[in-house]
Amino acid sequence: MQNFKLFQILAQFDKLEQNRIRKFIQSPYFNKDRVVLALFELMTEEINAPSAKEWTKEKIWDALVPELPYDDARLRKYQSDLLKLVEQYLIQQEFESDTFMSQAYLLKSIKKKKLKKLHNSTLKNVKEIPGKTSYRDGNYYLGQFLIETSYDQLISDFEEKKTEKTNLEAMSKFLDYFYIGEKIKIYCEVLSRKKVAKHEYDISLIEEAVAIAEKDDYQSIPSIAIYYQIFKMYTEPHELNHYYKFQHLLVESSHFFPRSEEKNFYGLAQNYCVNQINQGNSQFVKELFDVYKNLLEKEFFVTEGSLESWEFRNIVVVGLRNREFEWTENFINNYINILPKEIRENTYSFNLSQLYFYQKKYSNVIKILQEVEYNDYITNLNAKTTLIMTYYEVGEIDPLYNLLESFRVYLNRNKEIPSARKTNFKNLIKFTKKLISLPPSGNKIIKALKTEVESTKNISSRDWLLEKIAELE
């Protein structure tokens, strides 16, 4: 049974959703076949409390209609009917959640069936919808357009004063807002995808849409203003003012969008900051820190009650680079327990060692990192790097030499580490050895080492090496 497509689909629903689907299937309006309901019950029972029973098609048939001989075609028909009911349920759920769409269809039905007694009350309810809706995304303006269209058609059928000015301007305005916003949104997606794949897209009228979006009355529409700024960030990435305008819009307008779309906005801000930092623009370390705080506050990092370990580490690094030590320590202690249990202890000890290193509590760093051998190679590499820097800072030259040699052996033996990453850390080992071998007074040698480090492309902890060389100049 577990191999059936229908079983795998039903397994995606929790018990609450299963109960809703059950009520839907029990409704005689949607389903009158008791066998289809029995099939649903059989599958959900197996999903919620798996048995050791091997459910062949024949055994499923016997559980459903034991009085009849096995009929493969009929069993497949029951499965198909149940799947269609599940699909109808999903459609119904989405339809009911879309107030604009459902009311537009109600107006359409009133017009079609000429239900004049419903006319006035329905029009009153429809006109109150925008004030009860918090979102101002593209779907809001499409919904407004559909409502105004249905409203206009209903008025023309039931009202006697047909010479009065109608709502055609409102219809046109809402359609424009939807079209312009969605057109630029699509083009932003094109620009995003072209960063990772070399595909060409022909998006017509985009220049005209952008020109219209720049007008003041269109910039007051959240779904246009925010995607226009994203468009400018993609097309003019070095104009930092575009990012600051975008960040302002995030604060002012992101609540007008569904959470999934709002999360994408903050993800874009995060990526922009990372790109700026990678290009040497250090002021964006603070910007990235602010983005992370917003993502945490809005709980966008937490998925199904858990936080990814790499996101945890990135947040710690950015907090430390901003020298927000108290905030970072609180973050480590407050969020460590929502990491997957199997990585919790190692993640805690490693990130605590990073905090201590930035606080120059070097004895604490050494105590932690000497006692732990991390399972995943990425954390292991970073831990060994931190220990190298710590030994150098406290002048423990013999332990440092021993660590550099054991680190070299580890890199050579570990087949899991990509060759490019190995090169980064081998260069760190090489230049650290040169650094600790410098004579007390050798300005030419120091300058030569600095030039060599600056000209070598792939070095882990390059900034730290250059900082230590600068201290000797």
Side-chain angles (χ1 to χ4, degrees):
M1 186 185 295
Q2 286 83 353
N3 294 327
F4 290 176
K5 173 185 175 182
L6 179 59
F7 183 93
Q8 294 169 359
I9 291 171
L10 290 174
Q12 299 296 307
F13 299 103
D14 59 25
K15 288 186 178 180
L16 179 62
E17 196 80 32
Q18 288 173 11
N19 286 333
R20 289 174 178 166
I21 297 172
R22 178 178 291 106
K23 290 177 182 178
F24 185 87
I25 297 172
Q26 287 172 338
S27 169
Y29 181 85
F30 297 105
N31 173 52
K32 296 179 181 179
D33 194 330
R34 66 167 185 84
V35 180
V36 173
L37 177 59
L39 177 59
F40 173 80
E41 299 292 5
L42 182 65
M43 286 193 164
T44 52
E45 183 179 344
E46 187 66 21
I47 289 166
N48 297 329
S51 66
K53 189 172 182 179
E54 185 180 348
W55 285 100
T56 63
K57 290 183 179 180
E58 289 76 12
K59 288 181 179 178
I60 294 173
W61 179 269
D62 288 340
L64 297 175
V65 280
E67 69 277 9
L68 297 176
Y70 176 72
D71 186 333
D72 188 72
R74 192 65 189 168
L75 179 60
R76 283 188 277 111
K77 178 67 165 55
Y78 289 140
Q79 291 175 333
S80 176
D81 289 347
L82 178 53
L83 180 58
K84 287 178 182 177
L85 282 168
V86 172
E87 291 172 346
Q88 280 182 270
Y89 164 80
L90 294 173
I91 292 170
Q92 188 68 24
Q93 290 294 106
E94 289 301 315
F95 183 78
E96 289 179 3
S97 67
D98 191 333
T99 307
F100 284 112
M101 188 65 73
S102 58
Q103 291 300 308
Y105 272 92
L106 175 58
L107 291 174
K108 185 176 180 180
S109 183
I110 290 172
K111 176 183 184 306
K112 185 177 180 180
K113 298 183 182 301
K114 301 188 183 301
L115 302 174
K116 191 168 184 178
K117 294 294 183 183
L118 278 177
H119 165 239
N120 290 332
S121 61
T122 304
L123 289 181
K124 181 177 180 297
N125 291 336
V126 163
K127 283 300 183 182
E128 292 176 353
I129 291 175
K132 298 177 180 179
T133 305
S134 59
Y135 292 153
R136 292 296 181 269
D137 59 341
N139 287 333
Y140 169 83
Y141 295 105
L142 175 61
Q144 283 276 68
F145 167 73
L146 293 174
I147 289 291
E148 291 294 338
T149 301
S150 300
Y151 179 88
D152 179 73
Q153 293 172 351
L154 201 60
I155 289 293
S156 64
D157 271 17
F158 290 134
E159 297 291 343
E160 295 180 0
K161 299 177 182 179
K162 297 185 178 181
T163 57
E164 291 188 3
K165 187 176 181 180
T166 63
N167 62 334
L168 294 174
E169 283 185 11
M171 289 164 56
S172 177
K173 177 184 68 176
F174 290 129
L175 182 59
D176 287 346
Y177 292 161
F178 168 75
Y179 176 83
I180 298 300
E182 290 300 302
K183 174 68 75 171
I184 298 176
K185 177 180 178 180
I186 291 170
Y187 194 65
C188 287
E189 184 63 26
V190 167
L191 295 173
S192 173
R193 294 187 185 189
K194 288 178 76 171
K195 286 181 171 291
V196 295
K198 294 183 179 180
H199 298 304
E200 292 299 323
Y201 298 87
D202 182 15
I203 308 298
S204 61
L205 301 177
I206 186 60
E207 293 179 358
E208 291 83 352
V210 169
I212 292 172
E214 290 173 343
K215 297 179 180 179
D216 289 343
D217 52 337
Y218 284 87
Q219 283 293 308
S220 66
I221 306 301
S223 60
I224 295 177
I226 202 160
Y227 280 107
Y228 172 79
Q229 282 308 134
I230 293 172
F231 164 80
K232 298 297 283 186
M233 285 165 61
Y234 274 127
T235 54
E236 300 174 5
H238 300 300
E239 292 292 332
L240 303 184
N241 196 42
H242 296 322
Y243 172 80
Y244 293 116
K245 286 183 179 178
F246 174 69
Q247 187 60 248
H248 175 75
L249 286 170
L250 271 184
V251 174
E252 296 294 321
S253 307
S254 66
H255 61 281
F256 286 136
F257 298 84
R259 272 184 65 82
S260 59
E261 198 164 0
E262 186 182 7
K263 182 179 180 180
N264 288 339
F265 293 152
Y266 279 99
L268 175 63
Q270 180 183 346
N271 292 337
Y272 186 91
C273 291
V274 170
N275 288 335
Q276 289 295 324
I277 293 168
N278 290 339
Q279 293 171 23
N281 196 338
S282 59
Q283 74 186 74
F284 274 83
V285 176
K286 174 63 169 62
E287 294 295 333
L288 182 58
F289 180 62
D290 290 338
V291 172
Y292 277 146
K293 286 199 294 185
N294 278 314
L295 284 164
L296 286 168
E297 182 182 331
K298 294 174 179 292
E299 298 185 343
F300 285 138
F301 275 133
V302 180
T303 305
E304 296 181 354
S306 184
L307 178 66
E308 293 285 351
S309 61
W310 60 271
E311 289 283 19
F312 188 96
R313 182 178 179 278
N314 286 346
I315 295 168
V316 169
V317 169
V318 172
L320 294 176
R321 290 186 66 179
N322 278 282
R323 308 195 69 77
E324 294 279 353
F325 298 144
E326 183 179 356
W327 184 95
T328 305
E329 185 171 8
N330 288 335
F331 167 78
I332 293 172
N333 291 323
N334 292 337
Y335 283 86
I336 191 64
N337 288 326
I338 67 171
L339 288 174
K341 191 173 182 180
E342 62 273 13
I343 64 169
R344 200 173 293 165
E345 186 177 344
N346 279 358
T347 304
Y348 181 74
S349 67
F350 173 75
N351 284 283
L352 203 59
S353 74
Q354 305 305 294
L355 172 64
Y356 288 147
F357 181 81
Y358 272 83
Q359 291 176 318
K360 299 185 178 182
K361 297 178 180 179
Y362 298 126
S363 60
N364 291 353
V365 177
I366 293 171
K367 186 175 186 299
I368 290 175
L369 297 182
Q370 280 183 335
E371 293 177 353
V372 181
E373 183 71 20
Y374 296 100
N375 296 325
D376 69 289
Y377 77 83
I378 294 176
T379 306
N380 216 349
L381 292 173
N382 290 323
K384 290 182 186 300
T385 300
T386 301
L387 198 52
I388 286 171
M389 295 188 294
T390 303
Y391 279 144
Y392 180 88
E393 296 290 352
V394 297
E396 293 283 358
I397 303 303
D398 289 340
L400 177 53
Y401 266 118
N402 293 334
L403 176 59
L404 291 172
E405 181 57 24
S406 65
F407 194 8
R408 183 188 64 80
V409 173
Y410 171 78
L411 290 171
N412 288 335
R413 289 180 177 175
N414 194 305
K415 306 298 182 185
E416 190 180 2
I417 305 172
S419 58
R421 183 163 288 190
K422 283 186 178 182
T423 299
N424 289 343
F425 289 96
K426 285 181 177 180
N427 281 330
L428 170 63
I429 293 170
K430 180 181 74 172
F431 287 118
T432 302
K433 285 182 177 180
K434 289 187 176 185
L435 179 64
I436 58 181
S437 300
L438 288 171
S441 57
N443 288 338
K444 288 185 178 180
I445 300 175
I446 293 171
K447 288 181 179 179
L449 178 58
K450 180 180 179 181
T451 301
E452 188 178 2
V453 170
E454 289 176 335
S455 61
T456 303
K457 292 182 179 179
N458 303 312
I459 311 176
S460 178
S461 301
R462 178 203 298 271
D463 290 344
W464 175 79
L465 283 169
L466 290 172
E467 179 185 325
K468 297 301 112 179
I469 292 170
E471 290 175 0
L472 298 174
E473 288 182 315

